[in-house]
Amino acid sequence: MPPEKEQITIKTSELKTLLAENLNQIFAEKIAPAIGQEVADKLKVFVESMETDRLVRGKDISELSAEKKIDFVKLVRAAVDRNTAAVKDIQTMSFPVSTKANEALIEQQDNRGGYLVPTEIASVILRIAASVGTVISQAQKWDMKSDQLGIPNYTGAYLTGQYLDVDVPGPVTGLTFGQAMLILKQWQLAFVIGNDLLQDASVNLADWLLSIAGESLANMIDQQGLVGTGAPFMGILNNNAVPSMVLSAGKTTFDKYDVLVDSSTAIGMVEESILSGSAYYFHRTVWAALRVQKDTAGNFVLPFAGLVPGLLEDHKGGGPIRPAGQILGYPVYTNRWLPDMSKSAASTAFGIFGNMKAMAFGDKGDMRVAQFESGNFGGKEVALANQLGIVYRHRHGLVITLPKAFVQIVTSAS
């Protein structure tokens, strides 16, 4: 008699996980050439966490149903195919779609464009961006109905009022308001994707498309909000209205920052009303140098590598969203756009202390997706590579509403 075949039992949840892992690996390999291996690996981890959340909690960060995710992929595919079948396909979607079919996508002209991404999907992309980006997760949000929005901010002296004698009129104190202007600019993310990936709409592909947009949007807002030079937004480190704390003579490199003395000085430069919610912001390599500082006796300021709480703490796995540590009770966030240790030099701003709620993020809401079947993307003609150029566009504004809520940490000139 032939030997009995071994019976293999696989739970449905295990099979789903296995299939998802294989799909995510395929997507990572195919998308990596367009967005880079490092970014693809990071997104793969994020996408897999979404899959885990669905299995454990029944929903992920997007809070979209599988049906709506597949519809989003169909939307992208419709923008790609632009044929009768694809357009007919999106007419049965679970959310309304505004069609602006044309060979070119021009935001400012209403009769030219691609497909307006539904508000529901745009909100998901912004939510994903807020889960990986420092500025967009912490800044004050403003909904914008027009291209400009003036935000009043008080610039006068602190009000105290006055005690009065009996039957004596008191003086009227004038309020001095400045105005921070939120001006919308257009952000665009363009990347290429293989035709074969879009042939089959799936939840996993939707996760990748949403994550790519969210990660890119978060990165750009972090870059502009922290170190922007005015093209189009002015970041905290380059804003002349933000006060500077220059390190004492001889401290011409980033590692000379005294995590106790200099941090205390920075805290003292910010008003008490702003301190609640304030934090430190450094590049991860700078934080790596600061957390191993020693006192004058040669002892590490960070006691027992962070196992015992002290004046300086290290938190494992922190970064742009979760604190990487704390100094004098205030959280420390690390961000890739701030100057790293290789930029260490005299008279160089490299760190920030302050309250990110004093940064305003204006959101117009609309987001668009379009594609290009030909053209040069990253030095490659996509038509010859059996690929398509996918383009997301979103309009938003970014401005510091209260410069004195921040302190630039700057090395000494000599």
Side-chain angles (χ1 to χ4, degrees):
M1 292 180 63
E4 293 185 5
K5 293 183 178 179
E6 183 181 358
Q7 187 173 5
I8 300 176
T9 303
I10 301 179
K11 295 180 181 179
T12 303
S13 60
E14 294 175 347
L15 181 60
K16 286 182 178 179
T17 301
L18 182 62
L19 291 173
E21 289 176 350
N22 289 336
L23 281 172
N24 288 332
Q25 185 60 39
I26 292 171
F27 292 148
E29 291 173 355
K30 289 183 176 292
I31 290 175
I35 62 177
Q37 188 63 54
E38 182 180 356
V39 177
D41 290 343
K42 180 181 178 181
L43 289 179
K44 183 172 180 288
V45 173
F46 185 81
V47 169
E48 287 173 345
S49 71
M50 294 174 71
E51 179 68 24
T52 301
D53 285 344
R54 286 197 294 274
L55 291 173
V56 175
R57 301 190 300 112
K59 62 180 180 179
D60 56 41
I61 187 174
S62 70
E63 299 185 357
L64 291 177
S65 64
E67 178 189 14
K68 289 185 177 180
K69 285 192 175 185
I70 290 174
D71 283 346
F72 174 62
V73 178
K74 290 178 180 178
L75 172 65
V76 176
R77 193 169 60 192
V80 168
D81 291 342
R82 298 185 185 279
N83 57 37
T84 305
V87 174
K88 184 178 180 181
D89 197 21
I90 67 171
Q91 293 174 351
T92 61
M93 287 186 178
S94 55
F95 42 65
V97 176
S98 174
T99 306
K100 292 188 175 183
N102 199 282
E103 73 285 351
L105 182 74
I106 299 180
E107 176 84 20
Q108 287 76 13
Q109 296 181 16
D110 226 24
N111 63 333
R112 302 183 70 183
Y115 288 86
L116 187 65
V117 176
T119 303
E120 202 169 359
I121 297 294
S123 297
V124 170
I125 293 175
L126 288 169
R127 193 153 59 242
I128 291 174
S131 73
V132 294
T134 303
V135 174
I136 193 173
S137 66
Q138 299 181 12
Q140 188 70 43
K141 309 298 189 301
W142 294 77
D143 291 327
M144 297 184 66
K145 305 302 181 184
S146 59
D147 287 353
Q148 294 188 21
L149 176 64
I151 304 173
N153 63 303
Y154 182 64
T155 59
Y158 292 96
L159 299 178
T160 58
Q162 187 173 353
Y163 294 107
L164 303 178
D165 292 329
V166 177
D167 200 29
V168 176
V172 176
T173 302
L175 298 181
T176 306
F177 282 93
Q179 188 175 63
M181 187 66 69
L182 266 175
I183 301 176
L184 288 178
K185 299 294 182 180
Q186 181 167 272
W187 164 83
Q188 173 178 296
L189 166 66
F191 62 96
V192 295
I193 189 171
N195 279 311
D196 53 331
L197 283 183
L198 289 175
Q199 296 308 309
D200 197 19
S202 71
V203 171
N204 293 82
L205 180 54
D207 289 344
W208 276 91
L209 293 174
L210 291 169
S211 298
I212 287 172
E215 168 79 8
S216 177
L217 182 59
N219 271 325
M220 180 54 77
I221 292 173
D222 277 355
Q223 181 192 51
Q224 292 295 315
L226 297 174
V227 297
T229 57
F233 304 118
M234 186 65 71
I236 299 170
L237 278 192
N238 290 307
N239 192 313
N240 293 330
V242 173
S244 296
M245 186 203 72
V246 181
L247 304 186
S248 57
K251 296 181 178 181
T252 57
T253 55
F254 300 168
D255 60 329
K256 293 297 192 298
Y257 177 85
D258 190 311
V259 292
L260 300 183
V261 176
D262 293 329
S263 296
S264 182
T265 301
I267 293 171
M269 293 178 64
V270 175
E271 283 294 328
E272 289 90 340
S273 59
I274 302 296
L275 285 177
S276 179
S278 290
Y280 292 93
Y281 302 87
F282 298 105
H283 189 274
R284 64 182 182 276
T285 58
V286 175
W287 174 237
L290 298 183
R291 69 188 180 204
V292 294
Q293 276 193 7
K294 295 181 180 180
D295 59 22
T296 54
N299 300 313
F300 286 107
V301 179
L302 178 62
F304 300 101
L307 296 178
V308 179
L311 299 177
L312 177 68
E313 292 184 23
D314 181 44
H315 301 164
K316 305 297 185 295
I321 301 301
R322 292 176 50 211
Q326 73 171 43
I327 299 176
L328 297 177
Y330 292 93
V332 176
Y333 294 92
T334 58
N335 194 282
R336 64 167 58 95
W337 298 108
L338 291 168
D340 61 35
M341 285 299 291
S342 68
K343 306 296 192 304
S344 188
S347 300
T348 303
F350 67 97
I352 297 168
F353 177 74
N355 194 323
M356 201 59 73
K357 288 297 182 184
M359 172 79 72
F361 173 74
D363 177 20
K364 186 66 182 290
D366 292 348
M367 187 171 291
R368 286 175 168 77
V369 62
Q371 67 81 40
F372 295 88
E373 296 176 346
S374 63
N376 192 301
F377 279 70
K380 179 190 298 182
E381 172 51 61
V382 293
L384 301 178
N386 192 33
Q387 294 179 329
L388 298 158
I390 305 297
V391 178
Y392 291 99
R393 284 193 172 106
H394 181 253
R395 302 183 75 196
H396 55 258
L398 200 64
V399 69
I400 298 173
T401 57
L402 188 59
K404 290 184 179 180
F406 300 101
V407 173
Q408 300 170 352
I409 301 172
V410 186
T411 52
S412 173
S414 60

